[in-house]
Amino acid sequence: MSVCLLVSEDDPHKPIQLHHQQPVTLGRGPETKIKDKKCSREQVELRADCNRGFITVKQLGVNPTNVDGVVVGKGNQVSVKPGQRLYLVNQQYPYTVRFTEDTPTPRSAAEKSKPSKRAHRMSSEGNGEKSSEHHRMSDDSPPPKKTLPSGSDKPESAGHWSQGLKVSMQDPKMQVYKDDRVVVIKDKYPKARYHWLVLPWDSISSLKALRSVHVELLKHMQRVGDQMLQQCPDAHKLRFRLGYHAIPSMRYRCLHPDWLLMRGGRGLSRMQCLGCLFLFSHVHLHVISQDFDSPCLKNKKHWNSFTTDYFVESRDVIAMLEHDGKVTVKEGTSELLKLPLRCHLCRQEQPTIPKLKEHLKTHLPS
Ligand code: AMP
Ligand code: ZN
């Protein structure tokens, strides 16, 4: 069963775990760090339904609790799903809910005082210095800031999910479509004229974590992706593909100082910080036009990740899940990223990215 977390959006205190169908009252107090007298000590009663992926919120305090701008009202109850924002009182103290795949294991005192080897390895993968809690490590975004503001131990105030897709998917400005299961955002570093990402609200770390129960969700993601195409003004002249990267490049580095402990061992598919339960990647469907006419397409890795078998068609992923109950990534898939630059349309090899881009222009629709 998944675990429900209530995540503070402005003051990054540790997420609060809600157990399935166990009521929890929350309000002013040390747990939330809220000192505001307008917030009652028992402002809301929360109850998570981990099977169906939502929580119910009952307002107990006098001052208004609201969800996405709509006041709950004293004595009333509403449900809150991932993607919605719960403001504990007076449009302040925003929280979101998340459902993750696993139950956290409590850490022993010894573990707490000694970060794991794995954690050391993770933190030295980047620049090795403290910074905000989670850093993207793909080569798409600017590198993480190197130092903390002087005199501060605290992560930057950008929030708990400080960077990357997880922030973008929650950001209404980035969202181009959302429903109760998925959200669509524009890729921040588009590799073609049209490049969207369809992300499930539920945290699913990667293709490896997918099981038969996810088939319906994946079909829905594909349908939503198809809808994006139908609304695209250039759909009639561009070709599109919908698919997943076999191995996600989005990786995060957790520098939660006291909580550096990963679980899952081999591969990124199950890596999770036990302090914040942050999953180190989040499955996403690429919906991308095949012109590859974009300044963000900069290197061989970008090119090969969309034009070789590293890019797995959505329908193939669904078929594999239906047939085998899981998705198998062929051995040696990561080697595909090193292949020579070959035009995806006429298969001509090109020596460099600039030459390839010149060549691609010859295929562009007029
Ligand atoms: P991959 O993990 O390789 O399947 O791809 C991750 C995708 O996310 C890439 O296409 C990136 O350009 C895109 N991306 C990275 N950071 C962000 C962000 N903050 N918001 C939206 N898209 C992003
Ligand atoms: Zn060509």
Side-chain angles (χ1 to χ4, degrees):
M1 187 190 292
S2 63
V3 170
C4 178
L5 296 175
L6 188 70
V7 181
S8 163
E9 295 259 293
D10 55 1
D11 181 12
H13 64 73
K14 237 170 62 182
I16 297 167
Q17 192 179 338
L18 304 175
H19 295 279
H20 182 60
Q21 296 299 2
Q22 286 180 20
V24 170
T25 48
L26 207 65
R28 187 173 84 243
E31 195 170 21
T32 57
K33 296 188 190 159
I34 298 173
K35 295 186 179 132
D36 181 352
K37 292 271 166 58
K38 295 267 176 0
C39 183
S40 160
R41 286 189 186 280
E42 296 193 340
Q43 178 64 29
V44 288
E45 182 186 279
L46 311 172
R47 191 189 287 260
D49 187 326
C50 295
N51 292 335
R52 292 194 285 168
F54 66 84
I55 64 167
T56 52
V57 178
K58 186 172 180 183
Q59 181 185 321
L60 305 176
V62 185
N63 291 314
T65 295
N66 84 55
V67 176
D68 285 344
V70 180
V71 172
V72 179
K74 189 164 163 39
N76 295 338
Q77 188 168 297
V78 295
S79 61
V80 177
K81 293 179 194 150
Q84 291 186 299
R85 222 172 238 120
L86 163 70
Y87 293 88
L88 268 199
V89 77
N90 289 339
Q91 197 69 35
Q92 290 179 70
Y93 316 112
Y95 285 85
T96 50
V97 284
R98 299 175 53 79
F99 289 87
T100 77
E101 289 156 22
D102 244 327
T103 317
T105 326
R107 302 180 66 207
S108 69
E111 277 174 328
K112 276 190 185 171
S113 61
K114 196 176 94 188
S116 70
K117 276 186 193 158
R118 172 83 214 156
H120 275 306
R121 193 146 72 76
M122 286 294 287
S123 49
S124 62
E125 261 179 299
N127 52 37
E129 293 178 68
K130 276 191 188 178
S131 179
S132 60
E133 287 179 86
H134 302 101
H135 289 309
R136 279 221 39 226
M137 293 183 68
S138 100
D139 51 3
D140 283 310
S141 68
K145 288 202 182 111
K146 290 199 173 170
T147 50
L148 282 169
S150 59
S152 163
D153 281 329
K154 259 187 120 184
E156 286 166 42
S157 61
H160 203 262
W161 319 108
S162 58
Q163 289 183 37
L165 284 181
K166 304 228 178 196
V167 173
S168 293
M169 65 187 279
Q170 304 281 350
D171 180 355
K173 290 194 289 293
M174 300 289 284
Q175 297 167 344
V176 290
Y177 169 89
K178 68 173 169 178
D179 61 30
D180 57 344
R181 283 184 281 173
V182 299
V183 58
V184 183
I185 57 173
K186 281 190 185 171
D187 194 294
K188 197 166 172 183
Y189 311 97
K191 307 301 184 295
R193 289 184 185 175
Y194 297 94
H195 189 178
W196 296 284
L197 303 173
V198 185
L199 300 116
W201 289 119
D202 278 349
S203 284
I204 302 170
S205 53
S206 71
L207 292 186
K208 276 192 184 171
L210 290 170
R211 294 292 174 265
S212 310
V213 288
H214 297 119
V215 166
E216 278 315 307
L217 175 65
L218 263 66
K219 285 184 175 172
H220 181 65
M221 287 167 70
Q222 180 164 330
R223 273 195 301 273
V224 169
D226 282 332
Q227 276 171 32
M228 300 309 299
L229 306 190
Q230 277 152 26
Q231 290 162 15
C232 170
D234 290 334
H236 61 286
K237 52 179 181 180
L238 295 174
R239 208 166 61 83
F240 280 82
R241 285 181 80 197
L242 280 73
Y244 298 85
H245 279 154
I247 305 160
S249 68
M250 294 286 299
R251 292 165 59 206
Y252 295 80
R253 178 162 61 115
C254 173
L255 285 177
H256 232 145
D258 198 30
W259 288 99
L260 282 170
L261 188 66
M262 308 300 150
R263 67 188 317 205
R266 300 167 62 214
L268 277 168
S269 64
R270 307 275 304 147
M271 290 220 304
Q272 193 170 21
C273 167
L274 290 186
C276 54
L277 296 178
F278 189 87
L279 278 170
F280 285 77
S281 54
H282 192 114
V283 95
H284 46 273
L285 172 67
H286 291 268
V287 179
I288 182 164
S289 58
Q290 297 297 294
D291 49 89
F292 297 110
D293 179 18
S294 165
C296 295
L297 196 148
K298 288 184 179 150
N299 55 45
K300 187 181 261 195
K301 199 169 129 193
H302 289 158
W303 177 253
N304 283 329
S305 74
F306 287 100
T307 58
T308 65
D309 288 345
Y310 195 91
F311 189 82
V312 192
E313 289 282 338
S314 167
R315 57 171 179 272
D316 293 340
V317 169
I318 293 169
M320 255 191 271
L321 268 188
E322 282 181 325
H323 192 260
D324 307 331
K326 61 180 180 166
V327 179
T328 314
V329 173
K330 284 190 206 122
E331 231 171 88
T333 298
S334 57
E335 295 302 302
L336 298 174
L337 296 178
K338 299 178 194 156
L339 287 174
L341 297 169
R342 199 174 276 287
C343 172
H344 62 313
L345 297 172
C346 67
R347 309 304 303 158
Q348 238 186 62
E349 197 176 310
Q350 298 297 332
T352 61
I353 285 282
K355 286 264 173 351
L356 173 68
K357 290 197 170 201
E358 275 300 305
H359 173 84
L360 290 177
K361 283 186 194 155
T362 65
H363 292 298
L364 280 180
S366 45

